[in-house]
Each structure stands twice: as C-alpha cells, then as structure tokens.
Amino acid sequence: MKLHDIDVSREQKQLYDAFEDCLKKVAGKTFFEAFAKEKIKHSMQVVGAGNLLLKQEKSFQGRGEDFLRLGKLVCLFHDIGRFKEIYLLSLDRSKHYNHGHFSYEILKALGYTDLRLLLPVKRHGELSDALENDAEFQQIPEGMEKEETRELYGLVKDADKIANLYLIKHEERIFKDMFFEYLSEEEKYAPISEKVLQAMKNHTLVKRGDTKSFADRIIQILCFVYEIYYQPSYKFIAQHKLFDNLFGYLLEYSPNKEQAQFVCNEVNAYLNSKLL
C-alpha cells in the first residue's frame, strides 16, 4: 500500500464539518472568520508536510498501511480543536486554551480510540516532554505501540513546524496573529527578554508566557529548530530558506542589532550542523 492510495476522505469531511460549524458561530466577526479559514488551510498544509516526511524519512520506509494511515490522520486532525478555540476566543480574547486538548476530546467524541492517534494530537502544541509525562502514555507498555506513538508525535510536531514556517515566509503570517495585533508600537520594538535569549542559548523552546516583545516572538519561532525530530525537516527548512525572513524581521524590530545578529548566527549555525 502506497501513501497516496490511503483514502482519508471521510476523516477530512469530519475536519471540514468542525471548520464550517466554527464559521457559522463567528459569522460577521472578520478577524475570527479569517483565522478559521487560515487554520483549515494550515491543516491541509500540515497533511502535505506530513506526507513529505512519511515519504522521505528513512525510518518510515517500508511501514505498513496502519502506520501510514495514522501518520496522515495525526496531521489531518491535529488542529481540529482550533475551531472550538477560535469560537471561544471570539467570545473572550483574554483567555488561553489548549487546542491540542480540544482536538483530543473531539476525536474521542467522534469514536477514535487509538492512543497512537489521540496522544500525539493532544500533546503536539506543548513542550517536548509533554508526551512522555502524559499519564495515558506512561500506562502503555514498552513496545511497538509506545514507539509508534513517539514516532507519530515527532511527525506531527515536525509537519506543524515546517508548515507554519512556510506560511510565515510566503504569507507573512507572523504579522496577522493575535500576539502582534495586541502589541503597542513601543512593545513591537522592545528588547529581547532575558528568558527568551537564555532559552535560545540553551537550545530549548521558548515558553509562551516569556514572550513580551515582537523580537521575543520571532525568536520563539526560530527556536523551533531545537525540537526537530527528522532529518528531512532540517533539509526542508534549509532548502526553502524558511528562516531568512525571520532573521530580517529580528534585525528590524530588535533595538540591539548586535544581540539580534548573535541570535541569527547561533540559530543558523545549529541548523547547518544538522545538515552535515
């Protein structure tokens, strides 16, 4: 069975049903209508990125239909909970939600039970140890199911990152999100926060609550490179120069140009080290 022969049209309809329900609920609210439309587009881009990784990653070669189907579904469904989040944000923008947890709950309500699908979807938007610390994951005996859950978690994390980076480069998504919209002009040009800079130096992801300036947000995205699971993802980032525009934005918005250039050099050096 080849990847393109696996039919997920029924599952794709379930995703679009969630999207269309959200559109009805936020009708007339321009920002949230656009947000929902962007997220359905993003979901399909993540499917495309996931398909690329399933084809190119050496460890996925020769895998059976069951694993490949799960690979397609974890990418397809990872953001199905976004549409519930968008509706709730349209009611109160001040609150924070975990859309991965919403996705997990929605899939369970739809009758999905395979933890290899549910847990990567649930934890895809969290820091890298979230899966290992999940109570349900810890109850899975060591073996094929647990290892495949880890592999599918890495797959959706990588596919989500490279799809987001591609969108940021080609559609300047970073200037359309709520974080940028709510910043004052002074905050947009504020310095890099110490916690954000330290996370970059430590080669770790930046926590959401630590981002205060637009430079922080840019570095938060650049730090995606420190949590890439598969070699084809590094190659895709390099081939499509997905960090180049972010480097430019960082140098534009950070008041400390020397510090910003240091970040650019460090991130670029790390990416290049993974391409050897």
Side-chain angles (χ1 to χ4, degrees):
M1 172 68 69
K2 293 186 177 180
L3 190 64
H4 66 263
D5 294 326
I6 296 173
D7 181 14
V8 294
S9 55
R10 179 182 72 90
E11 293 84 357
Q12 186 169 312
K13 183 179 183 302
Q14 291 174 323
L15 175 69
Y16 272 84
D17 285 346
F19 161 64
E20 289 166 3
D21 181 61
C22 175
L23 273 187
K24 291 176 184 176
K25 289 178 178 177
V26 301
K29 298 179 179 180
T30 306
F31 176 86
F32 292 100
E33 287 179 329
F35 196 4
K37 290 175 182 177
E38 185 174 274
K39 284 304 173 184
I40 193 67
K41 180 178 180 180
H42 167 72
S43 292
M44 302 316 297
Q45 289 174 327
V46 172
V47 172
N51 288 345
L52 178 75
L53 296 177
L54 286 168
K55 292 174 183 176
Q56 294 188 359
E57 167 57 33
K58 291 180 181 179
S59 63
F60 295 154
Q61 303 308 303
R63 305 298 279 269
E65 179 182 355
D66 180 55
F67 180 84
L68 296 177
R69 174 177 290 277
L70 285 170
K72 294 187 78 165
L73 292 185
V74 75
C75 293
L76 181 72
F77 281 139
H78 81 289
D79 266 1
I80 193 171
R82 275 287 191 190
F83 303 113
K84 179 178 179 179
E85 178 192 38
I86 290 168
Y87 168 62
L88 292 174
L89 286 172
S90 76
L91 302 177
D92 185 352
R93 293 189 182 200
S94 68
K95 294 189 176 179
H96 294 289
Y97 302 97
N98 189 319
H99 68 278
H101 288 225
F102 285 161
S103 296
Y104 167 85
E105 291 166 358
I106 290 167
L107 291 180
K108 288 185 73 174
L110 288 171
Y112 293 93
T113 59
D114 195 326
L115 291 178
R116 294 174 296 172
L117 169 64
L118 293 174
L119 294 184
V121 165
K122 180 182 181 182
R123 298 297 183 181
H124 80 273
E126 300 175 64
L127 297 178
S128 57
D129 59 352
L131 179 67
E132 296 294 331
N133 292 333
D134 186 281
E136 284 185 291
F137 181 78
Q138 291 177 347
Q139 292 173 8
I140 302 173
E142 289 296 337
M144 181 67 75
E145 181 183 3
K146 198 162 197 170
E147 186 53 37
E148 288 189 343
T149 305
R150 289 190 180 103
E151 290 178 312
L152 292 164
Y153 175 72
L155 171 69
V156 70
K157 295 276 278 188
D158 276 19
D160 196 22
K161 287 184 180 71
I162 62 178
N164 271 315
L165 289 168
Y166 194 85
L167 191 63
I168 288 168
K169 178 172 182 178
H170 293 281
E171 298 187 24
E172 296 191 320
R173 172 67 183 89
I174 196 170
F175 295 106
K176 301 173 186 176
D177 67 24
M178 294 178 72
F179 182 87
F180 185 81
E181 180 180 318
Y182 282 125
L183 290 178
S184 66
E185 285 303 306
E186 182 180 358
E187 289 170 324
K188 287 175 183 176
Y189 290 91
I192 298 167
S193 302
E194 183 56 38
K195 286 184 178 179
V196 171
L197 184 62
Q198 195 58 51
M200 187 281 302
K201 291 178 179 178
N202 292 340
H203 293 181
T204 60
L205 296 183
V206 174
K207 295 179 181 179
R208 178 195 293 181
D210 290 341
T211 55
K212 308 299 181 186
S213 66
F214 191 47
D216 289 346
R217 175 66 174 140
I218 296 167
I219 294 173
Q220 183 182 39
I221 297 169
L222 289 171
C223 284
F224 284 177
V225 76
Y226 300 133
E227 197 197 35
I228 294 291
Y229 288 79
Y230 299 113
Q231 183 70 12
S233 301
Y234 291 115
K235 291 181 178 178
F236 187 89
I237 292 170
Q239 179 184 353
H240 293 275
K241 302 183 185 302
L242 297 186
F243 284 158
D244 286 7
N245 62 323
L246 290 169
F247 292 152
Y249 299 149
L250 183 60
L251 290 166
E252 178 183 352
Y253 281 88
S254 174
N256 187 331
K257 306 306 179 188
E258 182 178 350
Q259 189 179 58
Q261 188 62 60
F262 168 76
V263 172
C264 297
N265 293 344
E266 288 291 303
V267 170
N268 201 45
Y270 183 88
L271 174 61
N272 288 335
S273 74
K274 294 297 182 179
L275 298 172
L276 299 176

